[in-house]
């Protein structure tokens, strides 16, 4: 087991996206709490240092190959909707130049025909960055792969031989935990055994209680109204009718004599919550746009809100962790809809469409705080149990 006690934590924490940054942070905190005697290395697709925003610096995928070859170890794929995401999609969240180039129809056509980006981005022919097979890493040492509360589903429209390749890679892992029934069912259909475990973000309040967050925030608390709702949505997830949505949100604020804080959670390319929310701010003097300086600003704002409403799964999970009522917006976002139907069937309600925002007042009046607390306690226990299983594999 000596080779396996080096932990190589792999996640999408090389981009300024609140949820993606949380995976490494929570993993590190749990490892410290449990006094895990293992060296932990953190990786993304590229080398990055987002410590200014509260994230962990990451080594590149190339360095992951080098370190596994040199020392072996356990690769922990750290959560998120990462199953089956390809190199091109993931790189488009990181590189502005790549995104600009792919806007040209000619370049897209040439790329589709010659698979240029596949050749350039795939690190030593790893098919999918967050669904690797142990056999894709060249090493004379022991290597194993575990998955920590991940999400994503097979695309049945893929060529069958491509899905067979994915199955081979998943079957080479030694532990797969998935975060919702949708993912569990998809894997089962392809003969992959996995266990259900809630997203690790729900335990964040154990490590960052509200009184501790106040020491970590960079925003000015005096600039924030005493009573407010936290609202968020992002690129391609925003309402079709901004004016109608603004009126519904403003009416909710009026009923509760509260303000509306519009705060971006996803700032990476193709997420760009800030662009969408600044559009919304113009519709009412009750709306206040707040740009976070770090992830703790976001945590603190949500933990002190009267309720959370947004398209970010991890925004809702933050609210859940701090006992704040949460309402996921936009039914088209399957991962959030599936997640809360899996774990909070009596209070999560799945997702709410923007044109149904008027129902939130009644839902808020009937919010079952005791049931929410019960769900949270159960889910935290399951997350820690899953971590115990992962750390047993490390040995």
């Amino acid at each position: 087991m000596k080779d396996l006690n080096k932990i190589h934590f792999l996640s999408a924490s090389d981009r300024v996206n609140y949820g993606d940054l949380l995976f490494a942070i929570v993993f590190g905190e749990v490892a410290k709490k449990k006094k895990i005697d293992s060296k932990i290395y953190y990786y993304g697709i590229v080398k990055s240092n987002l410590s200014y925003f509260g994230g962990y610096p990451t080594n590149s995928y190339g360095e992951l190959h080098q370190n596994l070859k040199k020392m072996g170890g356990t690769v922990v794929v750290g959560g998120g909707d990462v199953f089956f995401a390809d190199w091109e999609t993931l790189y488009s969240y990181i590189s502005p130049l790549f995104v600009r180039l792919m806007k040209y129809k000619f370049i897209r056509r040439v790329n589709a025909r010659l698979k240029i980006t596949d050749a350039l981005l795939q690190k030593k022919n790893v098919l999918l960055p967050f669904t690797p097979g142990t056999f894709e890493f060249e090493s004379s040492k022991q290597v194993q792969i575990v998955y920590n509360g991940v999400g994503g589903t097979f695309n049945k429209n893929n060529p069958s031989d491509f899905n067979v390749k994915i199955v081979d890679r998943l079957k080479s892992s030694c532990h797969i935990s998935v975060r919702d029934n949708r993912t569990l069912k998809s894997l089962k259909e392809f003969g992959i055994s996995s266990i259900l475990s809630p997203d690790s973000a729900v335990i964040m309040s154990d490590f960052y209680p509200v009184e501790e967050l106040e020491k970590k925030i960079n925003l000015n608390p005096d600039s924030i109204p005493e009573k407010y709702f936290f609202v968020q949505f992002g690129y391609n997830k925003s309402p079709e009718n901004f004016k109608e949505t603004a009126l519904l949100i403003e009416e909710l604020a009026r009923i509760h004599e509260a303000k509306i804080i519009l705060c971006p959670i996803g700032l990476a390319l193709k997420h760009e919550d800030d662009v969408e929310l600044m559009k919304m701010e113009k519709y009412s003097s009750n709306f206040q746009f707040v740009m976070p300086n770090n992830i703790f600003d976001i945590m603190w704002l949500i933990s002190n809100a009267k309720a959370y409403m947004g398209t970010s799964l991890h925004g809702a999970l933050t609210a859940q962790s701090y006992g704040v009522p949460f309402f996921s917006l936009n039914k088209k976002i399957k991962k959030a809809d599936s997640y809360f139907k899996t774990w909070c069937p009596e209070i999560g309600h799945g997702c709410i469409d923007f044109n149904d925002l008027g129902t939130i007042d009644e839902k808020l009046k009937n919010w079952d705080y005791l049931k929410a607390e019960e769900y949270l306690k159960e889910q935290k226990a399951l997350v820690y149990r899953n971590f115990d299983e992962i750390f047993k594999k490390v040995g």
Side-chain angles (χ1 to χ4, degrees):
M1 294 293 285
K2 188 178 179 183
D3 291 343
L4 300 177
N5 67 3
K6 285 90 174 175
I7 298 174
H8 305 273
F9 191 85
L10 175 63
S11 66
S13 53
D14 49 8
R15 60 193 190 213
V16 187
N17 210 31
Y18 174 69
D20 293 315
L21 294 176
L22 286 176
F23 299 120
I25 292 167
V26 170
F27 186 87
E29 293 289 357
V30 175
K32 274 192 283 185
K33 180 178 181 177
K34 293 183 174 293
K35 297 181 171 61
I36 301 302
D37 186 22
S38 299
K39 173 71 175 173
I40 304 175
Y41 304 84
Y42 294 93
Y43 305 87
I45 302 300
V46 298
K47 190 178 187 70
S48 71
N49 187 352
L50 300 177
S51 54
Y52 73 92
F53 202 75
Y56 282 7
T58 66
N59 298 303
S60 69
Y61 212 95
E63 289 173 283
L64 172 63
H65 276 281
Q66 292 168 18
N67 286 341
L68 286 173
K69 184 174 183 178
K70 187 168 52 180
M71 65 183 80
T74 301
V75 178
V76 179
V77 180
D81 209 36
V82 293
F83 263 169
F84 321 126
D86 59 37
W87 288 98
E88 190 174 316
T89 299
L90 292 165
Y91 200 62
S92 71
Y93 299 145
I94 298 169
S95 171
L97 175 60
F98 180 73
V99 171
R100 284 200 299 272
L101 287 173
M102 295 309 288
K103 285 181 179 178
Y104 294 99
K105 192 179 288 185
F106 171 74
I107 292 177
R108 291 201 305 273
R109 283 177 180 170
V110 171
N111 178 60
R113 186 177 302 150
L114 301 179
K115 305 291 183 186
I116 295 169
T117 53
D118 283 0
L120 291 175
L121 297 176
Q122 285 185 27
K123 300 297 181 182
K124 299 189 179 179
N125 298 316
V126 173
L127 184 66
L128 296 171
F130 294 116
T131 320
T134 53
F135 49 84
E136 291 180 292
F137 297 113
E138 181 188 343
S139 180
S140 58
K141 307 287 187 179
Q142 284 184 290
V143 173
Q144 65 180 1
I145 297 170
V146 302
Y147 292 92
N148 178 28
V150 298
T153 56
F154 274 92
N155 183 350
K156 293 179 182 179
N157 295 322
N158 281 337
S160 59
D161 64 328
F162 187 81
N163 282 336
V164 167
K165 288 178 182 177
I166 297 175
V167 168
D168 288 343
R169 282 151 177 78
L170 287 171
K171 285 188 172 178
S172 75
S173 65
C174 64
H175 176 81
I176 301 176
S177 57
V178 298
R179 68 185 184 185
D180 62 10
N181 281 321
R182 175 172 159 259
T183 305
L184 187 77
K185 181 182 176 184
S186 180
L187 265 60
K188 188 176 181 180
E189 287 174 354
F190 282 83
I192 306 296
S193 178
S194 60
I195 63 166
L196 264 179
S197 176
D199 192 293
S200 59
V202 296
I203 65 173
M204 72 176 76
S205 56
D206 291 354
F207 302 104
Y208 303 109
V210 176
E211 57 272 18
E212 289 298 315
L213 286 178
E214 289 176 2
K215 301 172 187 175
K216 291 179 173 289
I217 59 174
N218 278 340
L219 56 77
N220 177 8
D222 294 334
S223 68
I224 305 301
E226 186 176 341
K227 192 176 179 183
Y228 62 89
F229 292 101
F230 186 109
V231 174
Q232 169 276 337
F233 47 80
Y235 178 86
N236 279 344
K237 298 174 182 176
S238 57
E240 292 179 11
N241 189 321
F242 265 66
K243 186 176 181 180
E244 182 182 315
T245 301
L247 288 171
L248 289 170
I249 294 173
E250 188 173 40
E251 176 62 11
L252 186 67
R254 186 194 64 77
I255 291 169
H256 291 269
E257 299 180 328
K259 298 290 185 180
I260 302 293
I261 293 293
L262 302 167
C263 178
I265 283 178
L267 293 163
L269 290 169
K270 296 191 176 180
H271 293 72
E272 298 155 321
D273 297 6
D274 52 326
V275 176
E276 301 301 298
L277 293 171
M278 281 192 280
K279 289 181 193 173
M280 180 62 72
E281 185 186 30
K282 298 172 184 175
Y283 283 92
S284 172
S285 59
N286 278 324
F287 296 173
Q288 180 181 341
F289 176 83
V290 177
M291 176 63 85
N293 298 298
N294 60 28
I295 60 171
F296 303 109
D297 286 354
I298 297 169
M299 274 188 214
W300 183 83
L301 283 168
I302 294 175
S303 67
N304 284 284
K306 184 174 178 63
Y308 167 87
M309 294 171 276
T311 59
S312 166
L313 172 60
H314 285 94
L317 288 171
T318 300
Q320 183 190 11
S321 188
Y322 288 100
V324 173
F326 54 92
F327 303 96
S328 287
L329 303 180
N330 196 336
K331 284 190 175 180
K332 293 177 183 176
I333 303 173
K334 300 299 182 187
K335 65 178 181 181
D337 194 59
S338 174
Y339 185 87
F340 288 114
K341 283 177 179 174
T342 299
W343 295 109
C344 304
E346 292 179 47
I347 63 168
H349 310 293
C351 287
I352 298 169
D353 275 333
F354 287 106
N355 56 9
D356 291 326
L357 276 164
T359 66
I360 286 183
D361 177 47
E362 191 64 27
K363 292 180 191 297
L364 198 53
K365 287 175 184 173
N366 295 318
W367 188 263
D368 191 336
Y369 285 90
L370 287 176
K371 176 59 74 173
E373 187 178 354
E374 182 185 320
Y375 277 144
L376 179 60
K377 186 176 179 181
E378 291 171 355
Q379 288 164 36
K380 282 186 174 184
L382 289 171
V383 168
Y384 283 117
R385 187 185 303 171
N386 186 48
F387 273 116
D388 286 340
E389 289 300 312
I390 290 171
F391 291 128
K392 277 182 196 173
K393 301 291 181 187
V394 176

